[in-house]
Amino acid sequence: MSALDGQIALVTGSTRGIGAAIAAEFARRGAAVAVHGRDQAAADSAAAAIIRDGGKALAVTGDVTDFGQVESVRRQIEDAWGPVGILVANAGGSFTPPAPLEQIPEDGWRATVDGNLLATFLTLKSFLPGMKERRGGTIITIGSAAGRRADPRSPIPYAAAKAGIALLTQDLAAQAGPFGIRVNCIAPETILTEGNRSRIPAEVQASLADWHPLKRLGTPQDVATAAAFLASGDAAWITGVIIDVAGGAVLV
């Protein structure tokens, strides 16, 4: 029996990058995985890739900054398979470039905070009541090294939102623990997603890798493996922690 056999999982923002790697790893370990995104074609493609590899997947779509759409996603999964037992609130991103604080546009701030912190809050708000009723569940949020240590080069809205997600995770772990629900956060450093590989020049990648004690950059699979551990029974006594998947770059 695989570690996640019989589990139903949702990974938000899982049509590419870290989310896609987590969804694929969960499926390899036996979970039925709802692949989520805003674009139906992208979600269908990601789900089809899992199915081709022998996994069980369902494509769902919705804007996670809109509670009504998050509720629709939840109902789509419940109607197809039943209630979600493993929730990964992964959807997010940095939606305004790094800049001195006074130069950050208000719309860029709001887009980034809403796309990360609000999206995570609404996702948890939708799925938590059912987990409490069933007295069990596992929630994983996705933070960032940017929210774990100060750096003048950080994109401040993104760092602030991710720091908020880390504290939200710990507060919820304290609230939800008596209901048998575990809540943990993964905080990655620079991850070589498809987008980062094409966006970051090779010489910059080498310089960034050298800054990490392990002398390489992370991969989506590094994050996926950590998520699979947290979702499994092997982590049954772990809640309220922030795991820095950071190659030693964040030592707190």
Side-chain angles (χ1 to χ4, degrees):
M1 178 178 289
S2 298
L4 303 180
D5 271 348
Q7 296 288 323
I8 297 171
L10 165 65
V11 184
T12 65
S14 52
T15 59
R16 57 189 173 88
I18 289 172
I22 293 172
E25 185 63 23
F26 282 8
R28 279 192 291 271
R29 298 188 185 213
V33 183
V35 175
H36 163 268
R38 292 193 186 193
D39 181 76
Q40 186 68 57
D44 287 341
S45 176
I50 290 173
I51 293 168
R52 282 196 303 272
D53 287 340
K56 185 176 181 180
L58 168 73
V60 294
T61 58
D63 179 354
V64 288
T65 66
D66 180 322
F67 187 64
Q69 293 191 43
V70 178
E71 287 279 83
S72 175
V73 166
R74 178 179 59 77
R75 288 192 294 267
Q76 289 175 58
I77 301 167
E78 290 177 350
D79 289 346
W81 288 342
V84 167
I86 301 170
L87 173 64
V88 182
N90 168 75
S94 184
F95 305 115
T96 192
L101 186 142
E102 69 276 13
Q103 295 177 19
I104 297 170
E106 182 179 346
D107 60 350
W109 174 277
R110 291 184 183 277
T112 300
V113 172
D114 286 359
N116 291 275
L117 184 55
L118 177 65
T120 297
F121 162 68
L122 294 178
T123 301
L124 272 51
K125 179 179 173 66
S126 177
F127 286 86
L128 187 62
M131 289 184 174
K132 284 186 171 182
E133 288 176 11
R134 297 185 297 275
R135 302 196 68 83
T138 299
I139 296 171
I140 300 168
T141 63
I142 304 296
S144 170
R148 297 282 283 156
R149 41 112 172 94
D151 189 315
R153 299 165 298 178
S154 282
I156 294 175
Y158 180 75
K162 290 299 192 180
I165 288 171
L167 187 56
L168 169 64
T169 301
Q170 293 180 317
D171 283 342
L172 181 57
Q175 283 191 0
F179 295 89
I181 301 165
R182 297 187 299 107
V183 192
N184 294 292
C185 179
I186 297 174
E189 233 288 332
T190 305
I191 300 296
L192 283 178
T193 60
E194 307 96 310
N196 281 342
R197 283 186 185 278
S198 62
R199 185 165 47 247
I200 303 174
E203 62 274 15
V204 176
Q205 291 184 31
S207 175
L208 289 170
D210 193 56
W211 184 65
H212 294 69
L214 291 182
K215 302 303 178 185
R216 71 171 177 87
L217 296 181
T219 67
Q221 189 59 37
D222 290 321
V223 183
T225 302
F229 166 70
L230 289 175
S232 74
D234 291 337
W237 192 234
I238 298 175
T239 195
V241 303
I242 302 162
I243 295 184
D244 296 300
V245 180
V250 179
L251 299 173
V252 295

